[in-house]
């Protein structure tokens, strides 16, 4: 019976992850292998769920915890019906990948069993598996398992990830939130088993496949610094398909709590990155050959590596098949026939009937193969209660019956349909005699059938064990272009399985090809398959996981966000939130102050439609700039006319417009041109190029400034706009190569401006001017939010060493938002910036703004405040 702590599915699905109930804690008797310090109850209480609960470990040896839906075990009830006997599943990928891990790395498994274990036996089974196999079983209640696996996994995620939308009128195919709640609950139960054995400081966690896509959030929420990777063994659909999933963002954000995310092909990775871009606004970067996503200061690595097969396992099974004389039996049975082979799971996406129809077409178009060619189609039992299985099975049976009736003759059936469980030895025997393997899946994550076939056609590694070892090795493949292994097998004949005629011609070409050509193609494929085996795959993934986790260990981390919006923010150890009290204290002590502020995104929210400053902001600016110890500037990318109009009430406020090309020290001052060049002939070259892209990109526009041109695509399709921006950047850099301008990309913009203009140069000009007047600033506040402000932060950080600031100056370079920056401090948003400035204004000597009687004895010290 499910405990009370399991029943609140709504809490789980909404991300309110409650601690396990006391009843559950008291039941559990399984000791941990290695655990976080403390008692068992401490791990399950509310305090332990704190995001800052990264308990130090006393163990120094690296371990790997592999988490998957099912453990790599076989289970069998004992003959006396008293207990269970277990053994390793030698064909499990999870077991085989150990070959690529270091010999001294301990490997533990967390997963469920394929059999139902009575609750009364679960503790004994758990202890047995832990002691003998280092496996920790997760027991899912029957109703949760049905909704989790057969429900959400097989009826929601599996079809969607294979590009199938729920267009059917059958309501069972539509999104069902109760199934999602069960999926979340199941992931939580897996998480609780991980907690029982984890050493968060030392262990690596490797999560496998779409069954556990929200597990990273559970783990990261508990252990901020844990080293965690995820590998998806299924396809990842295009963003147009994936965006139809109602819980799309929850799953994406959960995956992003991993340090590294692996895919079989670049197509799948590209689709995932496109979803992150369109739904979360994240852009990937390529650094020294590695793809990475910047996410709240963490770099999530994207790994593209197709999995391989275990060559040793194939070799041992081939020996078994020879010993059992299965190969000899099949050769005698099909003597004189050309065998084409298909090995597929019973699934709607395997394209089995398309393959059979292609065989029919080949026999009709090429009568020479009638009586000679046989398609042996092995169908593995369905892994779960998938959709439309009965209809697909009936359709296949009908096609086989019809073709055998039309083309069959005594002693010959063109289609041999094997609809039963086939042993691995028998399957290998069929591989050994097949002239060609056909894979016509309409969508498949990887599909290792071609790899297994190639290895089997090479023969047993010990030549003495095979009588025909000296014979030339040859094989042929006809494979769908929509399966994950297709890019790796360049010698295969690739087909669109929906095109039955083309597939039939490919099958004819494959079995008609000369032996020499077949041999060359086989040799090429075998070199790849034998070197890119499962050990190579796991070794490569671990190396990249180690690299991805190294950077995080050097940073300060803390968790923020609720529900599946939870994420870990990772920042430089010296990067911290600005202390208003400390800054105000330094402000009060200072005699000469410089304050530099960005406008959009700093004192004005980016998403605000009305961009003019509020009365509150104007009042604060007036108070600050009126203080005789301050001089105030706004340096912005905006044009000088709008800034001058907006801040007209602030008479002593300086303005640096268009990133500092125009500069004015106060309302009554003259505009200075800071750029060295006044020749804007380059605009006649750049603007036509921008217009070309504007016409081709719906939602984009051009903003013409006095000194710059800006192309913005905020309202365009994100993916297309970003692609167009990259193309435009290259185009403009090419045509403007000999012009004194810089072409830069920003947040939804591409800008062309004079080379010698930047906010950093504005800051340097202000500091130098103050130094030249003998009034070096001993207090600097610099606040901004985007890339252009980083130039300013860089100048500020080096100004003391360059002697343009006082040696004892208090410098506060502050960015808006928690993100990687050259600034040492941050504030969360524009509201906090305004509040901080208000605190300074309250301490300012702003007699022009406050109605007081004049004080002739007041000390007059010039201070410059600049708004950037």
């Amino acid at each position: 019976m499910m405990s009370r702590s399991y029943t609140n599915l709504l809490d789980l699905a909404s991300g309110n992850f409650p601690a396990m109930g006391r009843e559950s804690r008291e039941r559990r008797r399984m000791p941990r292998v290695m655990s976080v310090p403390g008692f068992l109850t401490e791990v399950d209480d509310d305090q332990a769920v704190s995001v800052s609960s990264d308990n130090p470990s006393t163990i120094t040896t690296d371990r790997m915890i592999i988490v998957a839906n099912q453990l790599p075990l076989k289970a069998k009830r004992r003959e006396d019906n008293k207990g269970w006997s277990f053994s390793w599943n030698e064909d499990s990928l999870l077991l085989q990948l150990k070959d690529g891990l270091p010999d001294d790395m301990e490997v533990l498994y967390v997963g469920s069993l394929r059999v139902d274990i009575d609750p009364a036996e679960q503790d004994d089974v758990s202890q047995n598996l832990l002691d003998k196999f280092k496996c920790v079983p997760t027991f899912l209640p029957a109703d949760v398992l049905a909704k989790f696996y057969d429900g959400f996994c097989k009826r929601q995620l599996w079809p969607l990830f294979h590009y199938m939308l729920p267009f059917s009128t059958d309501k069972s195919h539509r999104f069902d939130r109760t199934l999602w709640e069960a999926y979340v609950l199941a992931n939580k139960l897996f998480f609780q088993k991980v907690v029982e054995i984890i050493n968060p400081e030392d262990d690596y966690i490797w999560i496998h496949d779409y069954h556990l896509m929200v597990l990273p959030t559970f783990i990261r929420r508990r252990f901020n610094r844990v080293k965690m990777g995820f590998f998806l063994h299924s396809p990842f659909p295009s963003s147009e398909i994936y965006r139809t999933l109602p819980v799309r963002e929850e799953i994406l954000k959960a995956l992003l709590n991993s340090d590294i995310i692996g895919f079989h092909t670049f197509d799948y990775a590209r689709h995932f990155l496109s979803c992150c871009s369109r739904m979360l606004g994240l852009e990937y970067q390529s650094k020294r050959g590695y793809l990475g996503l910047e996410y709240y200061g963490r770099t999530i690595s994207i790994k593209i590596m197709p999995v391989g097969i275990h060559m040793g396992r194939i070799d041992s099974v081939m020996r078994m098949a020879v010993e059992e004389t299965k190969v000899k039996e099949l050769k005698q049975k099909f003597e004189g026939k050309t065998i084409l082979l298909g090995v597929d799971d019973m699934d709607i996406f395997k394209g089995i009937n398309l393959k059979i129809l292609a065989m029919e077409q080949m026999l009709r178009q090429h009568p020479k193969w009638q009586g000679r060619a046989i398609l042996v189609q092995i169908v593995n039992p369905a892994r779960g209660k998938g959709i439309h299985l009965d209809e697909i099975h009936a359709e296949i049976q009908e096609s086989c019956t019809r073709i055998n009736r039309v083309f069959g003759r005594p002693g010959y059936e063109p289609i041999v349909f094997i609809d039963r469980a086939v042993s691995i030895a028998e399957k290998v025997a069929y591989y050994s005699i097949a002239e060609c393997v056909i894979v016509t899946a309409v969508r498949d994550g990887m599909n290792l059938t071609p790899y297994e076939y190639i290895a089997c056609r090479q023969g047993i590694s010990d030549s003495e064990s095979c009588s025909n070892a000296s014979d030339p090795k040859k094989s042929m493949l006809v494979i769908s272009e929509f399966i994950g292994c297709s890019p790796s097998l360049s010698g295969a004949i690739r087909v669109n399985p929906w095109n039955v005629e083309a597939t039939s011609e490919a099958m004819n070409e494959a079995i008609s090809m000369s032996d020499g050509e077949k041999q060359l193609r086989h040799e090429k494929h075998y070199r790849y398959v034998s070197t890119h085996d499962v050990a190579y795959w796991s070794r490569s993934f671990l190396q990249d996981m180690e690299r991805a986790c190294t950077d995080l260990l050097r940073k300060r981390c803390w968790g923020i966000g609720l529900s599946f919006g939870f994420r870990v923010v990772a920042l430089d150890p010296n990067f911290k939130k600005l202390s208003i009290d400390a800054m105000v204290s330094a402000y009060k002590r200072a005699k000469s102050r410089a304050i530099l502020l960005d406008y959009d995104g700093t004192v004005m929210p980016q998403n605000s439609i009305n961009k003019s400053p509020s009365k509150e902001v104007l009042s604060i600016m007036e108070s600050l700039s009126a203080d005789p110890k301050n001089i105030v500037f706004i340096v912005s990318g905006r044009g000088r006319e709008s800034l001058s109009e907006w801040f007209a009430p602030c008479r002593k406020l300086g303005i640096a417009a268009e990133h500092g090309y125009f500069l004015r020290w106060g309302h009554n001052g003259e505009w200075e041109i800071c750029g060295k060049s006044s020749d804007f002939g380059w605009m006649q070259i750049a603007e036509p190029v921008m217009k070309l892209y504007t016409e081709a990109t719906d939602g984009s526009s051009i903003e013409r400034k006095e000194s710059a041109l800006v192309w913005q695509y905020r309202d365009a399709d994100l993916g297309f706009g970003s692609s167009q921006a990259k193309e435009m950047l290259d185009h403009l850099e090419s045509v403007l190569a000999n012009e004194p301008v810089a072409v830069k990309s920003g947040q939804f913009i591409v800008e062309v401006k004079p080379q010698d203009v930047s906010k950093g140069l504005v800051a340097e000009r202000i500091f130098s001017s103050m130094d030249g007047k003998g009034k070096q600033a001993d207090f600097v506040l610099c606040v901004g939010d985007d890339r252009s402000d980083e130039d300013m932060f860089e100048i500020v950080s080096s100004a003391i060493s360059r002697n343009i600031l006082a040696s004892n100056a208090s410098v506060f370079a502050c960015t808006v938002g928690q993100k990687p920056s050259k600034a040492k401090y941050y504030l969360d948003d524009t509201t906090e910036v305004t509040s901080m400035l208000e605190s300074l204004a309250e301490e300012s000597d702003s007699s022009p703004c406050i109605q007081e009687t004049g004080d002739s004895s007041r000390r007059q010290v010039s201070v410059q405040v600049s708004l950037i």
Side-chain angles (χ1 to χ4, degrees):
M1 181 175 178
M2 190 165 59
S3 72
R4 288 190 299 274
S5 61
Y6 292 162
T7 57
N8 197 342
L9 294 180
L10 290 175
D11 276 349
L12 288 163
S14 64
N16 299 321
F17 312 134
M20 291 295 289
R22 185 174 303 277
E23 174 186 343
S24 175
R25 295 201 298 265
E26 291 173 353
R27 275 186 70 243
R28 187 184 297 116
R29 296 189 291 107
M30 183 182 71
R32 309 218 191 124
V33 181
M34 297 179 182
S35 65
V36 292
F39 297 99
L40 181 60
T41 53
E42 291 178 347
V43 177
D44 290 318
D45 64 17
D46 288 337
Q47 183 178 2
V49 181
S50 166
V51 296
S52 60
S53 63
D54 283 354
N55 298 297
S57 171
T58 58
I59 308 300
T60 57
T61 304
D62 287 340
R63 300 187 311 166
M64 175 69 76
I65 299 175
I66 296 174
V67 192
N69 179 43
Q70 293 183 333
L71 292 170
L73 296 173
K74 294 179 179 179
K76 185 179 180 181
R77 191 73 178 172
R78 290 175 183 164
E79 293 182 0
D80 58 5
N81 204 32
K82 295 180 180 180
W84 295 84
S85 61
F86 296 92
S87 61
W88 288 115
N89 180 2
E90 298 291 341
D91 298 316
S92 171
L93 173 69
L94 302 178
L95 181 64
Q96 294 172 354
L97 65 81
K98 289 176 63 176
D99 285 7
L101 304 180
D103 293 337
D104 59 348
M105 175 174 274
E106 184 181 5
V107 179
L108 293 94
Y109 293 96
V110 176
S112 63
L113 292 167
R114 297 173 183 268
V115 294
D116 293 328
I117 306 293
D118 188 272
E121 299 178 303
Q122 288 179 2
D123 284 345
D124 291 335
V125 167
S126 296
Q127 190 66 58
N128 179 37
L129 294 183
L130 182 61
D131 293 341
K132 294 184 178 180
F133 300 95
K134 295 183 180 178
C135 290
V136 181
T138 303
F139 300 109
L140 301 178
D143 58 336
V144 174
L145 177 61
K147 291 181 178 179
F148 158 67
Y149 186 74
D150 293 323
F152 195 76
C153 288
K154 284 300 181 183
R155 290 186 174 270
Q156 302 284 339
L157 291 180
W158 181 257
L160 187 79
F161 277 34
H162 288 75
Y163 290 66
M164 183 177 180
L165 292 173
F167 287 138
S168 171
T169 56
D170 185 353
K171 292 183 179 179
S172 65
H173 300 162
R174 297 178 185 171
F175 180 79
D176 184 342
R177 190 157 292 275
T178 62
L179 301 184
W180 161 247
E181 291 164 358
Y183 181 83
V184 174
L185 173 56
N187 276 247
K188 178 178 171 59
L189 298 180
F190 280 92
F191 155 72
Q192 302 215 340
K193 292 300 179 181
V194 172
V195 169
E196 292 180 4
I197 59 173
I198 190 174
N199 286 288
E201 293 291 329
D202 306 311
D203 293 347
Y204 289 91
I205 300 177
W206 190 354
I207 303 169
H208 289 265
D209 223 3
Y210 66 98
H211 314 90
L212 302 174
M213 288 195 293
V214 300
L215 181 57
T217 286
F218 284 99
I219 296 175
R220 186 69 68 187
R221 187 171 187 263
R222 181 72 168 268
F223 308 109
N224 291 172
R225 292 181 178 274
V226 71
K227 295 168 284 191
M228 180 166 51
F230 180 93
F231 198 95
L232 183 67
H233 293 273
S234 77
F236 195 92
S238 66
S239 63
E240 288 75 15
I241 300 292
Y242 180 78
R243 283 187 292 169
T244 64
L245 185 64
V247 289
R248 58 190 189 179
E249 289 192 12
E250 288 89 332
I251 290 177
L252 275 187
K253 290 177 180 178
L255 289 175
L256 291 174
N257 276 315
S258 306
D259 295 299
I260 179 171
I261 305 172
F263 301 90
H264 286 306
T265 73
F266 176 68
D267 276 349
Y268 305 157
R270 178 169 54 86
H271 293 159
F272 173 77
L273 294 170
S274 176
C275 289
C276 290
S277 174
R278 289 177 177 273
M279 281 171 254
L280 304 179
L282 304 177
E283 296 296 332
Y284 74 91
Q285 293 181 333
S286 179
K287 297 179 180 178
R288 296 183 179 179
Y290 296 102
L291 294 178
L293 276 171
E294 290 293 330
Y295 188 59
Y296 290 92
R298 295 171 52 240
T299 300
I300 295 107
S301 293
I302 304 299
K303 175 72 172 176
I304 301 167
M305 173 63 71
V307 71
I309 60 174
H310 193 285
M311 298 298 292
R313 174 61 175 164
I314 295 292
D315 193 73
S316 64
V317 173
M318 289 175 63
R319 293 176 188 276
M320 185 192 310
V322 171
E323 291 171 2
E324 295 177 2
T325 68
K326 290 187 180 298
V327 177
K328 184 178 180 181
E329 291 172 4
L330 291 178
K331 284 184 177 180
Q332 291 175 349
K333 179 179 179 180
F334 296 107
E335 186 177 3
K337 301 294 189 292
T338 299
I339 304 300
L340 296 93
L341 179 65
V343 180
D344 303 277
D345 295 337
M346 176 52 71
D347 188 282
I348 61 172
F349 301 108
K350 300 303 181 182
I352 298 173
N353 201 49
L354 294 174
K355 182 191 310 179
I356 293 170
L357 295 177
M359 179 67 179
E360 179 185 25
Q361 180 74 7
M362 186 188 78
L363 294 175
R364 182 175 289 115
Q365 294 296 321
H366 303 279
K368 65 179 181 179
W369 294 115
Q370 295 180 19
R372 296 171 54 197
I374 296 177
L375 172 63
V376 177
Q377 177 61 56
I378 299 174
V379 177
N380 303 318
R383 299 184 185 182
K385 297 177 182 178
I387 59 176
H388 304 308
L389 291 184
D390 292 339
E391 296 94 319
I392 291 294
H393 190 272
E395 185 180 12
I396 293 171
Q397 288 279 23
E398 189 277 330
S399 296
C400 292
T401 302
R402 188 189 71 253
I403 296 171
N404 285 337
R405 184 177 64 249
V406 174
F407 296 99
R409 62 187 66 168
Y412 169 73
E413 285 189 341
I415 308 292
V416 176
F417 185 58
I418 303 177
D419 184 19
R420 58 175 171 81
V422 175
S423 69
I424 183 68
E426 185 178 356
K427 193 182 299 182
V428 163
Y430 273 107
Y431 284 143
S432 299
I433 68 165
E435 192 71 18
C436 177
V437 156
I438 319 293
V439 182
T440 53
V442 296
R443 189 68 61 180
D444 209 351
M446 185 60 193
N447 199 312
L448 294 176
T449 296
Y451 288 9
E452 294 172 350
Y453 167 65
I454 291 165
C456 290
R457 292 290 284 182
Q458 181 67 20
I460 300 173
S461 56
D462 182 3
S463 60
E464 294 181 0
S465 302
C466 188
S467 59
N468 62 343
S470 60
D471 294 344
K473 312 300 181 183
K474 59 184 188 295
S475 63
M476 275 305 300
L477 291 167
V478 175
I479 59 175
S480 165
E481 62 189 64
F482 303 123
I483 63 176
C485 67
S486 175
S488 307
L489 300 171
S490 56
I493 302 177
R494 299 191 183 100
V495 296
N496 173 3
W498 296 105
N499 189 336
V500 173
E501 292 78 10
T503 303
S504 70
E505 289 302 317
M507 293 164 65
N508 174 64
E509 179 186 355
I511 57 180
S512 302
M513 194 173 289
S514 67
D515 287 348
E517 181 66 19
K518 291 178 182 178
Q519 184 179 348
L520 289 174
R521 293 183 184 229
H522 170 80
E523 290 173 353
K524 182 177 185 180
H525 289 160
Y526 184 75
R527 280 196 301 271
Y528 177 84
V529 171
S530 60
T531 55
H532 292 71
D533 60 358
V534 65
Y536 177 86
W537 171 76
S538 60
R539 186 183 309 114
S540 177
F541 191 87
L542 176 60
Q543 290 172 351
D544 280 7
M545 194 192 306
E546 290 174 337
R547 177 187 53 80
C549 296
T550 300
D551 185 54
L552 184 64
L553 298 177
R554 294 193 294 262
K555 295 183 177 181
R556 290 188 304 116
C557 301
W558 65 93
I560 61 173
L562 300 173
S563 183
F564 285 108
F566 175 84
R567 64 273 188 196
V568 166
V569 177
L571 299 171
D572 187 274
N574 297 320
F575 188 64
K576 52 189 175 183
K577 190 163 187 176
L578 181 63
S579 170
I580 305 301
D581 292 339
M583 187 193 60
V584 169
S585 177
Y587 180 85
K588 291 164 68 176
R589 294 193 305 268
K591 298 179 180 180
S592 180
R593 313 183 190 109
I595 305 173
L596 298 86
L597 305 170
D598 179 33
Y599 184 67
D600 290 287
T602 301
V603 295
M604 172 58 61
Q606 284 282 14
N607 58 0
S608 176
I609 297 177
N610 182 6
K611 294 297 184 180
S612 60
S614 64
K615 291 182 180 180
E616 180 186 14
V617 170
L618 289 174
S619 175
I620 292 172
M621 293 302 117
E622 176 64 13
S623 297
L624 288 171
S625 59
D627 189 321
K629 293 183 180 180
N630 304 340
I631 295 177
V632 183
F633 263 83
I634 289 196
V635 181
S636 170
R638 289 188 173 274
R640 56 177 171 174
E641 290 186 7
S642 57
L643 291 173
S644 181
E645 179 184 348
W646 288 343
F647 290 98
C650 305
R651 311 299 293 180
K652 294 187 178 180
L653 177 66
I655 294 176
E658 300 189 16
H659 297 295
Y661 186 85
F662 299 105
L663 187 143
R664 188 181 69 185
W665 291 87
H667 188 270
N668 296 326
E670 296 294 327
W671 285 102
E672 302 175 15
I673 297 179
C674 300
K676 296 179 181 178
S677 174
S678 58
D679 180 10
F680 296 103
W682 55 266
M683 286 190 175
Q684 306 304 317
I685 303 173
E687 192 167 20
V689 174
M690 287 188 171
K691 285 182 178 179
L692 183 69
Y693 286 87
T694 303
E695 292 171 0
T697 312
D698 187 40
S700 65
S701 62
I702 301 173
E703 180 186 359
R704 181 173 182 133
K705 301 178 181 179
E706 292 183 70
S707 68
L709 286 174
V710 180
W711 184 75
Q712 71 86 16
Y713 58 95
R714 185 180 300 275
D715 298 325
D717 176 86
L718 186 59
F720 184 55
S722 177
S723 174
Q724 290 288 79
K726 292 175 183 177
E727 182 68 24
M728 179 192 287
L729 193 70
D730 292 339
H731 195 161
L732 289 172
E733 286 178 342
S734 175
V735 299
L736 297 173
N738 298 321
E739 301 294 333
V741 294
V743 184
K744 294 188 176 182
S745 62
Q747 193 171 23
F748 304 113
I749 66 166
V750 174
E751 184 173 23
V752 185
K753 61 181 181 179
Q755 282 179 341
D756 53 350
V757 173
S758 74
K759 291 187 177 183
L761 294 176
V762 173
E764 184 175 12
R765 185 183 180 112
I766 292 170
F767 298 153
S768 298
S769 176
M770 296 174 71
D771 181 43
K773 295 177 181 178
K775 300 174 182 177
Q776 279 189 334
D778 56 1
F779 174 91
V780 175
L781 172 63
C782 189
V783 189
D785 77 304
D786 64 15
R787 292 182 187 176
S788 62
D789 300 308
E790 295 297 316
D791 295 334
M792 183 167 60
F793 299 147
E794 188 173 13
I795 291 295
V796 168
S797 62
S798 64
I800 294 179
S801 61
R802 296 169 56 194
N803 297 320
I804 55 177
L805 291 181
S807 58
N808 63 341
S810 299
V811 177
F812 299 90
C814 177
T815 188
V816 180
Q818 300 175 27
K819 57 181 180 288
S821 172
K822 294 175 183 176
K824 292 184 64 176
Y825 303 96
Y826 73 90
L827 290 171
D828 287 328
D829 50 36
T830 56
T831 302
E832 288 196 353
V833 173
T834 303
S835 178
M836 176 269 295
L837 293 175
E838 188 174 18
S839 299
L840 296 185
E842 290 173 356
E843 301 296 333
S844 298
D845 183 4
S846 50
S847 55
C849 294
I850 303 175
Q851 295 181 359
E852 297 178 348
T853 56
D855 183 354
S856 58
S857 64
R858 181 176 295 146
R859 181 174 53 183
Q860 303 291 317
V861 181
S862 173
V863 181
Q864 303 181 11
V865 182
S866 307
L867 270 162
I868 299 176

